[in-house]
Structures are given as C-alpha cells and as structure tokens.
C-alpha cells in the first residue's frame, strides 16, 4: 500500500469488560496496512471477555511487551475497576512512558489519566462518562466538544465509534493522506476528518 514506510507496532491493551468496537474499529483500519504489526496484550494470555460477552484471545501478557511503539487503550465497563488498580496503573505508566504514541478510545482516557500519562496534555473521553473520566489527573485540559484530540504523542477519542475517526486521522498522520484514503476506501468507511465537529456534544450536559 505504501512504499518505504517504517514498520509500526500497534499494541492493543485488553482487559475484562473492554468495549469491542473501541478495539476492533481501529484494528480493522490499521490491519489493512502491511507495515503495521498488531498484537493483543492482556494481563494473561488466552480468552478475555469483552463488555459484550464475546471473548477475544490475547497473544501476549503485559510483561511481554518490551519494545512499545503505539499503545491503544480501549474503554468499556472494565475501566471502572482498572482506574483504581495500582498494579495495572503502575504497569501502564511504565509502558506508556516508553511508548512513542499513547492512544485511547472512550473511557480508556480515564486509565491514561489515572496512570499520569495525560498530564500537561489536552484530552477527551466518552460523553456519557465524561464527568467520571475527567475526574482523574491534575494537569489535563479536558475537551468536552471534540470527536478526538491529538496533542503531541497523545491521542484520545470520544465514545466508541469516534475511535475509528481517530484511527483514520492517526493513519493519515503516520503514513500520509494517500494511505489514509486507500484504507478508508478499502473498508468503505467515511470518517469525520475535522476533530472539532462533534454532533454528540449537545446531547449531554458536561456539568
């Protein structure tokens, strides 16, 4: 699809109660790029139950991710527990600080914030859980009206399906507009390219 592109490694962090589309929307897009290696990471290898009850097989344990490039943290009901799990947060802090790009979908941003990975950055999260997610962290500029937010090496998206828009934008950022167009055409997906256009912001009062 693209020539002379440096191979990238996308590690998707799974946990019990993760949101399926948060993880597999971006995976669908990135998987069409031959230069991208994708791995599913969890506390343990084997089946991990999603919030929808469907089990997904994790290939690597958390500790086996030694050379992180891009980490992607989905949201889901499981984030409510992990946001207070000191062992998980300690690992996430370490792996995030060693990653070139740190990204989240939906309430995955709460985990990044709780791990200290969004300090000094702009970020967003799921509208319906915005108050909860934005309660974490000390020096974070939380953006309520945003389809996604890209701030340096940090990428965060609003709820669930917004993660696909963020993934398309990240592909364009990393690989160029030509690859971005080829990817979205291949999966017949029409992303929102303007991150400030957020039609769902009006449905929920952030206060």
């Amino acid at each position: 699809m693209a020539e002379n592109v440096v191979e990238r490694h996308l590690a998707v962090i799974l946990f019990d109660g993760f949101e399926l589309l948060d993880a597999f929307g971006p995976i669908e897009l990135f998987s069409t790029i031959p230069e991208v290696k994708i791995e599913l990471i969890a506390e343990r290898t084997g089946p991990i139950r999603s919030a929808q009850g469907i089990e997904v097989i994790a290939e690597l344990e958390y500790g086996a991710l030694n050379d992180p490039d891009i980490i992607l943290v989905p949201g889901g009901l499981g984030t409510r527990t992990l946001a207070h799990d000191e062992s998980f947060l300690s690992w996430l802090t370490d792996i995030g600080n060693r990653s070139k790009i740190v990204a989240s979908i939906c309430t995955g941003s709460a985990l990044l914030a709780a791990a200290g990975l969004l300090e000094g950055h702009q970020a967003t999260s799921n509208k319906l859980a915005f108050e909860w997610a934005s309660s974490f962290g000390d020096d974070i500029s939380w953006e309520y009206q945003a389809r996604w937010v890209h701030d340096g090496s940090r990428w965060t998206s609003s709820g669930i399906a917004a993660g696909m828009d963020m993934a398309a934008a990240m592909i364009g950022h990393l690989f160029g507009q030509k690859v971005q167009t080829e990817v979205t055409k291949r999966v017949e997906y029409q992303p929102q390219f303007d991150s400030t256009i957020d039609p769902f912001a009006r449905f929920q009062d952030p206060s």
Side-chain angles (χ1 to χ4, degrees), residues 22 34 36 51 57 102 115 119 125 150 176:
D22 286 8
V36 176
I57 304 300
V102 175
E119 295 300 303
S125 194
H150 173 207

Side-chain angles (χ1 to χ4, degrees), residues 125-154:
S125 194
N126 186 308
K127 300 295 181 294
L128 297 177
F130 195 85
E131 183 177 359
W132 174 76
S134 61
S135 69
F136 295 94
D138 299 314
D139 182 25
I140 303 170
S141 179
W142 289 98
E143 304 293 329
Y144 182 76
Q145 184 167 337
R147 189 68 172 156
W148 75 89
V149 172
H150 173 207
D151 185 7
S153 62
R154 301 300 191 258

